[in-house]
Amino acid sequence: MTAPADGGSATDPAGATADVDLDELGRLAVDLAERAGEAIVELRDGAVATTTTKSSPTDPVTEADRAAERLIVDGIRRARPDDTITGEEGADHVGTSGLEWHIDPIDGTTNYVYGLPAYGVSVAVGRGERMLAGAVANPVAGELFAAVAGRGATLNGDPIRVGRPVELSAALVATGFGYAAERRRGQAAVVAALLPEIRDIRRMGSAALDLCAVACGRVDAYYELGLNRWDFAAGVLIAAEAGARCTDLGGGPPSTEFLVAASPELHGPLTRRLVELGA
Ligand code: IPD
Ligand code: CA
């Protein structure tokens, strides 16, 4: 077989992994997610008092979101000064290496503020839309999900896989809602139509953890409209490496427009139904 002209290979057609040390990227993502996870737990009591809002009156941010992002950015800048960095709390560093880090310092900030234990730190690095390494830490549960492209996904170091095949009517489906009232009206209508047709809905409050739940079979699928890339960059890699199919509504790569992640057998029926419902 002839290698693609851009230096890629049959399994990596775009050459996204050429000239990168995947082990180094994977270790750095894990280390930073773990350290930021410890920091947000330590900071929580004081940080909750600093809660303000961002994109809408229901979109919270705390001093811990900003501190965790600083910790992660400093770690990347020290280890890999030439990489681009984008983060939810404003990190926006343009590098020259062709690799970009996507940081969500606290995914599930509403849960964090209320003391619900479903929040995490999400760190991923990729080339363009192709993620190469990612980690999601849930510090309260003591869970660290991680993946490196082509090498599978792990939970606390043990390999994980998506759940067994299920019909749509028996599927446990996670989803989430944006912060804008008008968007929520549409999302609520889709959930209202879907709920009687499936096993049940879960709204756990962290897209990154929802994707990790797909990866280890705790839910059968997850979908959401209008996420930011930092919400899903690590989780999509982890879910895909665990055997999930992750796309937008048209079967293309997951995007900030729409994301569906499901076990391969469920992905088609769920996506078709979401399209019918105008999701
Ligand atoms: C939010 C969470 C939530 C999802 C929202 C996200 P944040 O991220 O992932 O589950 O439904 O769309 O914005 O604000 O907690 O970082
Ligand atoms: Ca988020």
Side-chain angles (χ1 to χ4, degrees):
M1 192 175 295
T2 322
D6 63 1
S9 69
T11 51
D12 182 18
T17 60
D19 304 326
V20 292
D21 182 342
L22 288 174
D23 290 323
E24 183 209 343
L25 297 179
R27 274 195 305 270
L28 186 56
V30 163
D31 177 53
L32 294 173
E34 277 186 324
R35 285 203 285 129
E38 284 163 20
I40 62 176
V41 169
E42 261 171 46
L43 291 171
R44 188 176 168 273
D45 285 345
V48 168
T50 68
T51 306
T52 53
T53 58
K54 294 193 296 187
S55 67
S56 91
T58 54
D59 180 4
V61 60
T62 72
E63 192 42 53
D65 293 75
R66 290 183 278 264
E69 183 159 299
R70 279 196 301 274
L71 182 157
I72 297 167
V73 170
D74 288 351
I76 298 168
R77 294 297 304 269
R78 260 197 306 275
R80 302 194 50 90
D82 298 330
D83 292 355
T84 293
I85 309 173
T86 309
E88 174 163 17
E89 306 313 334
D92 184 15
H93 169 73
V94 179
T96 53
S97 68
L99 296 188
E100 179 173 4
W101 292 81
H102 304 269
I103 305 166
D104 194 336
I106 304 182
D107 187 52
T109 303
T110 305
N111 287 344
Y112 180 75
V113 169
Y114 279 78
L116 289 167
Y119 53 85
V121 179
S122 175
V123 180
V125 57
R127 201 188 286 280
E129 290 184 4
R130 169 96 152 90
M131 290 305 124
L132 302 175
V136 175
N138 176 341
V140 180
E143 293 191 330
L144 189 278
F145 296 87
V148 169
R151 299 188 187 167
T154 56
L155 164 53
N156 292 345
D158 296 326
I160 49 174
R161 290 296 296 169
V162 291
R164 63 190 167 76
V166 287
E167 302 285 325
L168 184 56
S169 59
L172 185 59
V173 179
T175 191
F177 309 117
Y179 288 109
E182 201 40 51
R183 171 169 292 174
R184 286 183 170 185
R185 226 180 293 283
Q187 290 174 316
V190 173
V191 168
L194 191 63
L195 181 56
E197 302 176 8
I198 61 177
R199 181 188 296 277
D200 209 342
I201 284 282
R202 290 291 178 271
R203 196 294 192 243
M204 294 181 284
S206 161
L209 292 177
D210 289 332
L211 286 158
C212 293
V214 173
C216 65
R218 291 178 185 164
V219 295
D220 298 305
Y222 162 70
Y223 75 88
E224 189 165 338
L225 168 86
L227 290 168
N228 290 295
R229 192 161 295 276
W230 51 68
D231 297 311
F232 67 79
V236 160
L237 179 66
I238 291 164
E241 287 293 329
R245 183 149 187 247
C246 304
T247 69
D248 65 5
L249 273 186
S255 74
T256 51
E257 297 281 308
F258 208 94
L259 164 61
V260 191
S263 53
E265 302 78 8
L266 181 62
H267 182 277
L270 174 61
T271 306
R272 279 194 291 280
R273 192 65 189 118
L274 289 169
V275 170
E276 284 166 8
L277 293 172

